[in-house]
Amino acid sequence: MTAMRTAMILDAGFASLPLQRAIKTAGFTTLVCSGKPHDAGMKSADIAKVQNYADRDAVLAIAREHNIAAITPGVTDVSYLTGSRVAAELGLPGFDSPDVSDTLFLKDRFRAWAEQQGYPIPRAVRRAEDARHLPFPLLVKPIDAYSGIGITLVQQAAELNDAVAKARSASQNGECVIETFCQGALYSHSVFIRGGEIVCEFFVDEFCTVYPWQVNSSSLSLSLTESMRDRVSECMQTLVRQLQLVDGLLHTQFIANDDDFWLIELTRRCPGDLYSRLIELSTGVDYSSEFVAPFLGCQHATAFSARRPAHLRAIARHTISSDVDTHFTGYLFAPLAARIIETIPLKLPGDRLEPAPRDRAGLVFAEFDDVAELARLTPQLKNYFSFKTT
């Protein structure tokens, strides 16, 4: 009898559960590594190791101890950056080189590289004194934080120093980037790469209605024009070839108006808050299995029916969150012209609920009868899904 190979997952959050299921379905034993012993992924793992995966040397030691055959990131940037270094050390597949990974993931490095190459990005600098010549308003961001933590919109020069201090305090590296604020709607572009070519792609409309820099409502895009999709897709294909990205996912957030678009964030880890489930419910594409396949060294089983799969179901995703520090006691659902098809609870009655973007009470997936209602109501979902407090 052949022993099952072990795959290490660097993430135990609830959004990593579909990835863990896909890895088990592929025939691997799952070894989950996280510094949070009570997270959902630790409970369902075959082997759970309580270890902060930001510690690359510790992760490498565990990987060697268990003779892992694969390592996969989860839904955090740190999981990919650590994974790329461990994979490079052990000769495991699925990751770009550490240098390419840093170029994509670290905001200051990406801005510098993209500007040099002529990609459409906000103008950016790293120091407050260099930002005086940029047009206000400006966004000040940590170079390596997530979910919009540490971001400030600055309207005038007198606010810059405080914003820089806030961003640096939220950065693991103590660094920030200061960039011009681009006016337009927010979208994401998720693609699967095979042999240096984009073979499947999805565009999603994204809305930040509780915390201004964190997406909490989304659906497959209904507002983005075909011509703009083509322009974004062509841009990302050029980037894929230029950086010689390995097979797998490339996920991008961008802002677009009627005439222009700007790349905001790029990542190669899985997007969080069950973005994978939104794609699966909307199109039928097994996003989670496609995501983990390159890290497992698996052949791609899916022959995509189209480069841009059809919008089969009118699905919206909403993250239930708060703008104040409170305690959760239950959910409140207002009448909505949609069917609630999945609810993912993330709190128990009495649990503390911190303000967004640091916390969430749960996720909801709703199905509408038609795309017109989906487009009209997705930006308003915070008015229909909320929670009771003590």
Side-chain angles (χ1 to χ4, degrees):
M1 183 175 178
T2 304
M4 292 180 68
R5 295 176 294 167
T6 298
M8 173 185 274
I9 312 168
L10 301 183
D11 193 355
F14 75 93
S16 71
L17 290 176
L19 309 182
Q20 189 175 157
R21 285 194 293 270
I23 292 167
K24 288 185 176 185
T25 299
F28 286 77
T29 296
T30 55
L31 189 168
V32 174
C33 185
S34 172
K36 300 177 179 178
H38 301 297
D39 269 0
M42 301 291 268
K43 301 171 187 176
S44 59
D46 297 314
I47 306 167
K49 290 288 186 178
V50 181
Q51 173 60 59
N52 182 347
Y53 51 76
D55 187 335
R56 298 162 185 168
D57 292 337
V59 170
L60 181 59
I62 293 170
R64 284 176 166 152
E65 175 190 353
H66 289 269
N67 191 30
I68 66 167
I71 182 169
T72 74
V75 304
T76 68
D77 289 352
V78 174
S79 69
Y80 192 97
L81 292 171
T82 292
S84 70
R85 284 157 172 82
V86 173
E89 184 72 22
L90 299 179
L92 296 175
F95 291 87
D96 294 313
S97 69
D99 185 60
V100 170
S101 300
D102 287 349
T103 297
L104 285 174
F105 279 77
L106 300 181
K107 294 178 180 64
D108 58 337
R109 283 191 57 166
F110 177 71
R111 293 288 187 270
W113 177 84
E115 182 177 20
Q116 185 180 50
Q117 302 300 322
Y119 285 92
I121 58 168
R123 295 169 59 192
V125 296
R126 294 185 59 172
R127 301 184 304 171
E129 53 266 35
D130 295 332
R132 309 297 176 180
H133 67 281
L134 295 179
F136 286 88
L138 300 172
L139 277 180
V140 183
K141 303 177 178 180
I143 67 165
D144 51 8
Y146 60 93
S147 295
I149 293 173
I151 294 179
T152 303
L153 179 63
V154 174
Q155 300 288 352
Q156 54 188 346
E159 302 168 358
L160 261 178
N161 288 336
D162 287 346
V164 166
K166 177 182 175 181
R168 286 177 173 167
S169 68
S171 167
Q172 287 190 340
N173 294 303
E175 297 293 340
C176 72
V177 62
I178 305 166
E179 63 185 33
T180 52
F181 181 65
C182 300
Q183 296 283 356
L186 181 64
Y187 303 92
S188 61
H189 179 228
S190 225
V191 310
F192 288 108
I193 303 162
R194 294 181 186 173
E197 300 294 322
I198 294 174
V199 294
C200 187
E201 62 186 345
F202 312 91
F203 291 89
V204 169
D205 295 335
E206 303 198 324
F207 305 96
C208 308
T209 62
V210 173
Y211 180 77
W213 318 117
Q214 182 187 47
V215 174
N216 62 319
S217 298
S218 56
S219 70
L220 218 63
S221 185
L222 299 166
S223 63
L224 199 63
T225 65
E226 284 300 311
S227 61
M228 185 60 74
R229 294 177 199 231
D230 292 343
R231 288 175 60 189
V232 172
S233 183
E234 181 180 353
C235 174
M236 300 318 297
Q237 179 62 73
T238 300
L239 184 145
V240 167
R241 291 172 181 159
Q242 192 166 7
L243 287 175
Q244 299 182 334
L245 300 185
V246 300
D247 285 6
L249 176 74
L250 175 63
H251 183 79
T252 305
Q253 279 191 314
F254 67 97
I255 290 174
N257 56 31
D258 291 341
D259 303 310
D260 299 299
F261 72 93
W262 300 269
L263 307 179
I264 304 301
E265 308 284 352
L266 278 73
T267 188
R268 304 219 64 192
R269 47 89 173 168
C270 188
D273 286 346
L274 297 180
Y275 185 102
S276 58
R277 189 65 177 145
L278 173 66
I279 300 301
E280 290 163 5
L281 288 170
S282 300
T283 68
V285 173
D286 192 345
Y287 188 104
S288 298
S289 294
E290 283 298 319
F291 174 76
V292 301
F295 303 105
L296 304 180
C298 297
Q299 294 295 318
H300 298 280
T302 301
F304 294 113
S305 59
R307 177 174 171 131
R308 296 175 186 168
H311 197 163
L312 301 178
R313 299 172 67 185
I315 303 291
R317 174 192 64 161
H318 180 69
T319 303
I320 303 171
S321 57
S322 173
D323 57 1
V324 296
D325 198 333
T326 186
H327 284 81
F328 171 85
T329 60
Y331 298 110
L332 292 171
F333 293 161
L336 176 68
R339 295 172 296 282
I340 300 173
I341 58 174
E342 290 184 14
T343 303
I344 298 89
L346 299 176
K347 293 293 180 183
L348 293 173
D351 282 353
R352 181 187 177 192
L353 180 60
E354 296 183 74
R358 297 185 178 276
D359 210 351
R360 50 188 61 74
L363 277 87
V364 176
F365 290 90
E367 183 170 13
F368 293 81
D369 288 332
D370 57 65
V371 294
E373 284 294 275
L374 177 68
R376 183 175 71 86
L377 289 171
T378 298
Q380 304 176 36
L381 288 178
K382 75 167 186 176
N383 300 324
Y384 294 91
F385 302 124
S386 58
F387 49 88
K388 296 190 293 183
T389 63
T390 54

